[in-house]
Amino acid sequence: MNKMEITVKLEKDNSKKKVSFKGKTVKELLSQLSLNSEVVLVTRNNEILTEEEILKPKDKIEILSVVSGG
Amino acid sequence: MRCSQCQNKSIIELQHGSVCQHHFLSYYEEKVFKTLKKYQMIAPEDKICVACSGGKDSQTVLHLTKKYLQEQRLNNEIFALAIDEGIKSYRSKTLKDLKLFCKQEKVKLIVVSSKEEFGYTLDQAIKRIKKKGLTNKPCHLCGVWRRYLINKYARKNKATKLITGHNLDDEAQAVVMNIFKDNASFSAHLGPISGIKEHAQFVQRVKPLYFCTEKEDKLYSLIKNFPVSFIECPYAEEGYRAKVRDMLNQFESQYHGTKQGVINSFLHVLPLIKEKELNDNDKPLRSCSKCGEPANQEVCQACKIMEMLR
């Protein structure tokens, strides 16, 4: 399977990293990053994505944390 | 994926199907309004205090309570109450968000400081506890102080109803923790309307977000563009609750509806738990012999902490 590079910003630790992604969907990205979909929301250009959304090369993804920091 | 109701692009998959932004907002607001109505959380004569931290849940519950009052043409007085525990580089940021939000919502905000009430910020109290070689956890102190101050200042400002932003995840975690720790009697105090005994100085607490998941709350506050910064409390620890939270979310991702199942089952037995607790412990709630606030024992938890800090 072809890999694509996408940029992932994580709200939880305010970090940004480039990910060499092996799958197609948001669900597969979360799985690759070992994140439970119950505790995150995923956006692209401020648009909320479902788990079935297909990702494209060079996408800039933000992963928001559902669990509060308190 | 398309919305099951209108075929627009969906943003979340709920138990009854995928929905778009428009249908999520109506589903979510309807759920909160139904909870307010079903449990008769607000009476026309109530003065309402909304306990606010500045996070997504409290901003959402404040916004929707206000919207509910407007839609029902109710003229209840409403104000927000926040506790400044004195946690450096944390609470000041969430309070900044809250001040902005209350200004947008045109709701009066009252901020009560732990330092002014108890003579210590939480940071100072924790330092003192460590110096004394005690092992009390920051979250325990913070929780006792917050509950004490919220009730006291809601009452002082003549509130007759106290609204909190507790959600389905919070409640499911508490129910499971109480079972795991053999504290089933603690669960008698849970439910959409908290408490089992009345006390003249105790303001009744209600939870309009009781049936909303934490993920739904986050999504709602995100769509509404509420000013919520993500910032972690320096004392937040991955303790027992976090483990139960992760376990429930792990189950939820494999078996959708797990958390809702916990709550539905709990609500079936809650009347029995409350009845048992009342029978087992038929003494009325007392007033603390030191400060006069409601207490389960002769001296309340907040005064016990003060004794410990001396």
Side-chain angles (χ1 to χ4, degrees):
Chain A
M1 190 182 283
N2 289 338
K3 286 183 182 178
M4 61 172 131
E5 191 179 84
I6 55 175
T7 306
V8 175
K9 188 179 171 194
L10 285 163
E11 183 187 41
K12 190 170 166 56
D13 53 11
N14 197 27
S15 66
K16 202 186 251 187
K17 59 182 174 185
K18 290 200 187 302
V19 174
S20 177
F21 178 43
K22 289 171 271 187
K24 284 181 182 173
T25 64
V26 167
K27 191 177 186 172
E28 288 165 333
L29 175 66
L30 294 179
S31 171
Q32 185 178 324
L33 297 173
S34 302
L35 290 169
N36 183 345
S37 61
E38 285 305 312
V39 297
V40 293
L41 285 174
V42 180
T43 66
R44 178 175 53 198
N45 301 326
N46 294 324
E47 185 192 354
I48 299 149
L49 306 179
T50 62
E51 284 183 63
E52 312 309 322
E53 192 76 38
I54 307 285
L55 298 175
K56 300 187 294 284
K58 296 187 180 168
D59 263 349
K60 287 178 181 168
I61 300 297
E62 186 164 10
I63 298 181
L64 307 172
S65 181
V66 163
V67 178
S68 302
Chain B
M1 194 176 275
R2 296 281 143 189
C3 174
S4 56
Q5 295 180 45
C6 70
Q7 294 303 305
N8 277 337
K9 191 175 178 300
S10 83
I11 58 162
I12 189 169
E13 201 176 341
L14 301 170
Q15 265 185 279
H16 63 269
S18 294
V19 286
C20 64
Q21 182 164 310
H22 170 77
H23 283 108
F24 169 74
L25 291 176
S26 52
Y27 149 84
Y28 181 86
E29 290 185 356
E30 204 174 295
K31 183 156 67 167
V32 176
F33 294 167
K34 267 187 186 170
T35 306
L36 280 158
K37 268 188 196 158
K38 183 179 175 185
Y39 293 94
Q40 298 174 322
M41 290 181 169
I42 297 171
E45 65 277 11
D46 275 333
K47 181 170 180 181
I48 301 165
C49 170
V50 182
C52 287
S53 65
K56 64 185 188 308
D57 306 291
S58 59
Q59 289 194 20
T60 297
V61 82
L62 175 56
H63 172 78
L64 286 179
T65 304
K66 211 172 155 248
K67 187 168 181 178
Y68 177 78
L69 295 177
Q70 278 163 356
E71 287 195 2
Q72 297 293 313
R73 295 184 182 173
L74 291 165
N75 293 316
N76 299 63
E77 268 189 76
I78 182 168
F79 68 95
L81 174 63
I83 308 302
D84 181 0
E85 309 92 342
I87 304 172
K88 202 180 169 194
S89 58
Y90 171 67
R91 187 52 77 202
S92 55
K93 287 180 183 162
T94 63
L95 282 176
K96 194 177 164 194
D97 288 343
L98 183 60
K99 282 174 187 165
L100 172 64
F101 183 69
C102 287
K103 200 173 170 189
Q104 286 171 2
E105 294 280 321
K106 297 186 176 66
V107 170
K108 181 185 170 188
L109 170 65
I110 296 169
V111 181
V112 175
S113 140
S114 296
K115 170 87 176 169
E116 281 173 28
E117 181 77 18
F118 301 116
Y120 299 94
T121 63
L122 189 73
D123 291 337
Q124 290 167 337
I126 300 306
K127 264 188 198 161
R128 196 158 170 83
I129 279 171
K130 277 188 184 160
K131 208 173 168 185
K132 287 184 157 222
L134 301 168
T135 54
N136 302 68
K137 299 250 170 91
C139 296
H140 169 69
L141 248 78
C142 186
V144 169
W145 277 5
R146 286 171 61 76
R147 280 192 295 276
Y148 179 95
L149 292 175
I150 284 171
N151 184 67
K152 183 172 176 179
Y153 284 88
R155 191 187 69 241
K156 278 199 162 190
N157 286 282
K158 308 210 178 327
T160 52
K161 212 49 82 57
L162 183 55
I163 286 184
T164 69
H166 288 101
N167 58 44
L168 185 131
D169 289 56
D170 298 326
E171 191 83 349
Q173 288 156 20
V175 169
V176 170
M177 281 166 69
N178 288 341
I179 292 171
F180 282 8
K181 290 204 161 194
D182 192 16
N183 285 332
S185 65
F186 289 4
S187 292
H189 300 270
L190 300 175
I193 295 180
S194 307
I196 47 171
K197 290 176 188 170
E198 288 188 7
H199 187 288
Q201 288 175 298
F202 198 67
V203 185
Q204 189 175 52
R205 292 173 187 226
V206 297
K207 306 168 187 169
L209 305 186
Y210 194 82
F211 296 100
C212 302
T213 65
E214 189 160 22
K215 188 169 181 171
E216 290 172 344
D217 295 353
K218 174 78 177 190
L219 185 53
Y220 187 83
S221 69
L222 183 68
I223 295 169
K224 288 287 183 180
N225 205 21
F226 291 156
V228 181
S229 315
F230 184 87
I231 175 164
E232 271 190 284
C233 174
Y235 298 116
E237 44 188 56
E238 291 297 298
Y240 198 78
R241 180 180 275 270
K243 287 215 164 47
V244 170
R245 179 194 69 207
D246 293 346
M247 179 197 73
L248 283 170
N249 283 325
Q250 200 58 47
F251 258 84
E252 185 72 39
S253 67
Q254 289 175 45
Y255 309 104
H256 289 301
T258 295
K259 289 182 277 193
Q260 184 70 60
V262 170
I263 291 304
N264 290 351
S265 304
F266 173 65
L267 289 177
H268 279 304
V269 295
L270 181 59
L272 299 173
I273 300 174
K274 281 184 189 275
E275 195 183 322
K276 186 175 184 316
E277 180 63 10
L278 281 171
N279 287 336
D280 291 352
N281 184 5
D282 58 358
K283 288 178 195 154
L285 261 181
R286 307 182 202 188
S287 295
C288 172
S289 60
K290 289 187 182 288
C291 70
E293 287 299 305
N296 282 320
Q297 293 165 328
E298 197 194 333
V299 177
C300 74
Q301 289 289 323
C303 286
K304 281 183 183 168
I305 289 175
M306 289 309 293
E307 281 171 17
M308 189 173 69
L309 289 171
R310 271 189 205 112

